[in-house]
Amino acid sequence: MAVERFHIHISDEILDDLKYRLHHIRWPDQLEDSDWDRGTELNYLKSLVSYWRDQYDWRTQESQLNRFSQFCCNIDGIDVHFVHERGKGPNPLPIILTHGWPDSYLRYQKIIPLLTDPVSHGGDPEDSFDVIVPSLPGFGFSSRPDHSGVNNFRVSEMWAKLMTKELGYKKFAAAGGDIGSGVTRYLASNHPELLFGIHLTDIGIIRNLLTSHEQVTLSEEELQYKKNALEWISLEGGYMSLQSTRPQTLAYGLSDSPVGLAGWIIEKFRAWSDCNGNLRQIFSEDELITHIMVYWLTNTIGSSTRMYYENSHSLPPLGYIEVPTGIALFPADILLPPKEWAVRNLNITRWTSMARGGHFTAMEEPELLAQEIRAFYKPFRAKNKN
């Protein structure tokens, strides 16, 4: 199908079913002396669910989300939902922003107006962007793949088609974090001619450093990364092991219980953000619940976790990336990469250590990230002839 307008409208039937489930919860117990060390803390989750059941208003959130210009088109048999907001400036640079898990396209909700309309936020009109934010296949309002093989590489090919064939851009910028970092790097590796540059907020878990037995050839920073990564996987990586091996088994419980889904997602927002153990320092209840709702209302938690399986079982190797690359590292993010490795594998032209923030970069510190993206892409503005 051609590109069509998209409008979010969840049926009353789905909302009524959710309301029933939130009124009929069977809670587990929790050890008296445990906090978050064994997983999502019971009293916090009860408080959040109480707000969800008694105060949260999906229709208000739905109306706010529908203020964005949203579209849908079919690419390689998958219906792709995306936001497409035009820049307010003399020569907007097109940029595609790719999210990760357990967030959604809402990761970039706050940063969209900062990039499209810099003047209204204290910026230069010359720094405006056309912003495209798709939902990954199997996430949110994009359709769920019905076959295997939809991994970071496959999505990058879909994004190339979206930007050039469907939206008509000859050349564009790309940025992302988490799964979005992997998709963006494959896009750069396989279609360098389409990109001005790429901007990343992480490089994911660097597997070849973890499996390297040549300790002598690794730098001190790389050896420390390897040690930190192995410890992190041992202590925090249970979700990743399960989603990479048995996502279908996990899907039954998370698709059937909104509280189970909330518990699975919320723990990651707490552990990976710069919140010092207090989610309310960074996120409002409405913000967290709306992220959970995007998974619940579309029944995509199962299909989203399958991305881990596909990336673990079917990704081709990724070579050196020649496209100019900017990296912004947020101090509370997961496993900050060693610079030596990054320089050997990517054409790093800007490397910035950010003042604060964690894994959910554009949600936590949208102004800082917007400034950094503007600065990185400024030298490419003269080449923008879309």
Side-chain angles (χ1 to χ4, degrees):
M1 68 179 183
V3 174
E4 297 179 354
R5 283 276 180 179
F6 183 89
H7 184 82
I8 303 168
H9 182 72
I10 302 301
S11 70
D12 289 338
E13 181 182 8
I14 292 175
L15 296 177
D16 289 343
D17 172 74
L18 172 61
K19 184 176 180 180
Y20 176 85
R21 292 169 189 260
L22 292 177
H23 277 89
H24 295 81
I25 301 165
R26 186 170 71 166
W27 291 101
D29 64 348
Q30 178 174 287
L31 296 176
E32 291 182 2
D33 57 350
S34 67
D35 190 22
W36 286 81
D37 53 318
R38 298 170 189 259
T40 301
E41 201 274 328
L42 179 62
N43 291 320
Y44 172 82
L45 190 56
K46 282 186 173 181
S47 173
L48 184 69
V49 170
S50 176
Y51 180 89
W52 190 2
R53 181 186 60 231
D54 301 329
Q55 299 180 61
Y56 178 83
D57 183 358
W58 165 254
R59 292 301 183 203
T60 296
Q61 301 300 319
E62 185 179 66
S63 177
Q64 292 177 357
L65 295 179
N66 279 326
R67 293 175 184 174
F68 288 113
S69 298
Q70 299 173 91
F71 302 87
C72 187
C73 68
N74 189 279
I75 304 175
D76 296 344
I78 296 172
D79 292 336
V80 175
H81 159 260
F82 60 98
V83 170
H84 188 191
E85 288 287 345
R86 300 284 184 175
K88 298 178 181 180
N91 190 27
L93 191 73
I95 186 169
I96 184 168
L97 306 175
T98 308
H99 66 85
W101 186 94
D103 53 88
S104 65
Y105 81 103
L106 299 184
R107 168 186 276 236
Y108 297 110
Q109 180 180 4
K110 298 174 187 174
I111 203 174
I112 292 172
L114 303 181
L115 295 178
T116 57
D117 187 12
V119 172
S120 295
H121 303 276
D124 186 337
E126 298 287 343
D127 288 334
S128 69
F129 291 84
D130 283 355
V131 178
I132 297 88
V133 186
S135 296
L136 288 164
F139 286 69
F141 301 107
S142 287
S143 66
R144 301 187 291 269
D146 58 6
H147 52 275
S148 61
V150 180
N151 54 27
N152 285 352
F153 167 79
R154 176 76 181 280
V155 174
S156 75
E157 295 296 296
M158 295 172 65
W159 280 192
K161 294 175 183 177
L162 171 64
M163 294 298 286
T164 58
K165 295 183 179 180
E166 301 297 338
L167 299 182
Y169 292 113
K170 297 176 182 177
K171 201 164 185 175
F172 55 93
D178 196 85
I179 292 172
S181 170
V183 170
T184 301
R185 282 178 282 143
Y186 274 98
L187 185 58
S189 178
N190 295 307
H191 296 284
E193 75 284 355
L194 297 180
L195 293 165
F196 293 110
I198 62 171
H199 190 272
L200 310 173
T201 54
D202 62 66
I203 308 180
I205 296 175
I206 305 172
R207 298 288 180 182
N208 60 0
L209 280 183
L210 304 190
T211 57
S212 173
H213 298 292
E214 301 177 10
Q215 303 281 11
V216 178
T217 64
L218 297 181
S219 70
E220 184 177 339
E221 187 184 13
E222 288 170 325
L223 287 171
Q224 186 62 49
Y225 173 86
K226 181 175 181 179
K227 179 176 181 292
N228 294 343
L230 291 173
E231 288 179 357
W232 186 88
I233 290 172
S234 175
L235 295 172
E236 298 282 348
Y239 81 98
M240 183 170 54
S241 297
L242 188 52
Q243 293 181 178
S244 297
T245 57
R246 298 293 185 269
Q248 189 65 30
T249 302
L250 178 65
Y252 298 111
L254 300 187
S255 298
D256 192 55
S257 168
V259 173
L261 174 62
W264 192 251
I265 288 178
I266 285 297
E267 190 230 326
K268 303 311 173 194
F269 273 94
R270 180 182 179 274
W272 300 350
S273 64
D274 195 8
C275 72
N276 297 311
N278 182 0
L279 279 160
R280 292 183 177 93
Q281 283 190 6
I282 302 293
F283 309 108
S284 69
E285 279 83 356
D286 281 346
E287 188 174 9
L288 291 172
I289 294 169
T290 299
H291 264 85
I292 297 165
M293 288 287 277
V294 167
Y295 284 96
W296 178 262
L297 299 174
T298 59
N299 195 16
T300 52
I301 188 60
S303 52
S304 75
T305 60
R306 283 200 292 266
M307 180 69 89
Y308 281 74
Y309 186 98
E310 300 300 338
N311 284 337
S312 297
H313 290 78
S314 60
L315 266 183
L318 187 62
Y320 179 79
I321 292 174
E322 298 181 358
V323 171
T325 302
I327 294 184
L329 299 180
F330 290 73
D333 202 351
I334 305 164
L335 298 175
L336 303 182
K339 189 171 183 178
E340 295 108 316
W341 185 93
V343 169
R344 287 200 308 272
N345 290 274
L346 301 107
N347 177 17
I348 305 293
T349 60
R350 185 179 177 91
W351 180 277
T352 307
S353 295
M354 308 299 284
R356 58 189 179 275
H359 188 65
F360 304 101
T361 53
M363 293 175 63
E364 298 180 56
E365 298 293 343
E367 291 84 3
L368 290 181
L369 182 57
Q371 291 169 9
E372 184 63 20
I373 289 175
R374 290 177 197 155
F376 172 69
Y377 283 109
K378 205 170 191 66
F380 304 102
R381 292 282 175 177
K383 300 177 183 178
N384 182 26
K385 298 178 181 179
N386 281 294

